[in-house]
Amino acid sequence: RWFTHFYVVSVLWNGVLLIWLFRAEFLGESLPSWIQDMHHALGRNSQSKDVGNEHFSALLVLLLLWLHSCRRLAECLWTSVFSSGVIHIVQYCFGLGYYIAVGSTVLCQVPTNVRNGKELSVQICWYHIIGVTMYIWASLHQHRCLAILANLRKSSSGKVVSLSHSVPFGDWFESVSCPHYFAELLIYVSMAITLGIHNVTWWCVVMYVLFNQALAAVLCHEFYQKNFSSYPKHRKAFIPLV
């Protein structure tokens, strides 16, 4: 339930970044000076030339990241049923920092001069279509899986009747123990595709999400196997068939 705080911060922070980038791209305004300073500190060349559709791709990914945070916040508030478990203070602080850093990472893929007096060239490319399609597909499955988990603790009328753990069935749960973690990975992969596939920085973010979600999935998978003797043996922890 403390993850709700992460998504509140992400919606607010990444929403502000999205507005700044949108105004810079379409209205020709300059990015705030502190963002330009951050670019320089990270070694980003403020005068780097426009590489194809790089600016529009970054704007689209920042929008997808913000929409993802909005959906997850809504699910935390109105869909999920949380137990009384708590989060470690170090993990809590790291999570807050992560959602601030990840939006800033997208912004740093765009040169600080942005338009430089020129109109933004908005051209829909094949990787935008594939990335957004994959994003929608993974997001729908993640929502379905989170709803399945929530319904395990609710009666048929929708009233919360238990906070204990049960074995989930349906959708991607038939293949893996933690399909919502797998969907999270796919969402970040879809953003890497939307950025044009070649962006090494974002693939580093994807690798972080892979290891982070895989560790959580393995621990959850072991919990299911330990506490439920009839737990389906064919299920994998995180990625189908792996």
Side-chain angles (χ1 to χ4, degrees):
R1 65 185 182 277
W2 289 91
F3 275 51
T4 303
H5 297 181
F6 300 163
Y7 299 121
V8 169
V9 169
S10 183
V11 168
L12 294 176
W13 172 251
N14 292 315
V16 170
L17 294 184
L18 181 61
I19 292 173
W20 278 338
L21 185 56
F22 180 88
R23 293 172 69 90
E25 298 284 13
F26 289 98
L27 302 180
E29 298 182 4
S30 298
L31 291 171
S33 59
W34 68 267
I35 291 181
Q36 299 186 37
D37 293 339
M38 180 176 64
H39 276 68
H40 291 304
L42 295 175
R44 178 64 168 176
N45 183 359
S46 64
Q47 298 300 319
S48 62
K49 61 182 180 180
D50 186 5
V51 183
N53 223 13
E54 184 183 57
H55 294 169
F56 178 66
S57 298
L59 182 65
L60 185 56
V61 168
L62 194 54
L63 174 62
L64 295 179
L65 181 63
W66 182 74
L67 290 174
H68 176 61
S69 300
C70 288
R71 177 180 61 82
R72 290 293 294 117
L73 175 59
E75 289 167 342
C76 285
L77 294 175
W78 297 299
T79 300
S80 299
V81 180
F82 300 108
S83 66
S84 57
V86 296
I87 188 173
H88 195 282
I89 184 63
V90 174
Q91 186 182 6
Y92 177 77
C93 293
F94 183 84
L96 293 176
Y98 169 79
Y99 282 99
I100 293 175
V102 72
S104 304
T105 300
V106 179
L107 199 61
C108 284
Q109 306 313 299
V110 180
T112 52
N113 62 325
V114 188
R115 277 177 47 183
N116 198 23
K118 300 178 181 180
E119 292 184 3
L120 174 66
S121 174
V122 178
Q123 181 180 357
I124 305 298
C125 299
W126 62 269
Y127 49 83
H128 293 149
I129 297 174
I130 293 177
V132 172
T133 300
M134 183 177 179
Y135 171 89
I136 295 173
W137 174 65
S139 297
L140 288 174
H141 278 285
Q142 187 177 57
H143 177 74
R144 290 173 186 170
C145 292
L146 290 171
I148 289 173
L149 287 175
N151 288 334
L152 290 175
R153 296 175 171 177
K154 297 178 182 179
S155 65
S156 57
S157 62
K159 182 180 179 181
V160 177
V161 295
S162 173
L163 295 180
S164 61
H165 294 279
S166 303
V167 179
F169 291 93
D171 205 82
W172 287 354
F173 279 109
E174 299 303 322
S175 300
V176 293
S177 296
C178 302
H180 47 307
Y181 295 158
F182 178 54
E184 184 81 3
L185 173 63
L186 294 181
I187 287 171
Y188 277 85
V189 170
S190 72
M191 293 181 191
I193 295 174
T194 304
L195 274 174
I197 301 178
H198 63 275
N199 192 290
V200 176
T201 302
W202 195 258
W203 281 112
C204 289
V205 176
V206 171
M207 291 303 296
Y208 163 76
V209 173
L210 168 63
F211 290 117
N212 177 274
Q213 299 296 291
L215 175 60
V218 168
L219 293 175
C220 187
H221 183 66
E222 291 176 348
F223 172 85
Y224 280 129
Q225 291 179 322
K226 179 180 179 180
N227 291 276
F228 300 97
S229 58
S230 60
Y231 192 72
K233 298 185 181 302
H234 67 277
R235 288 190 191 180
K236 303 302 180 182
F238 180 42
I239 300 176
L241 305 179
V242 177

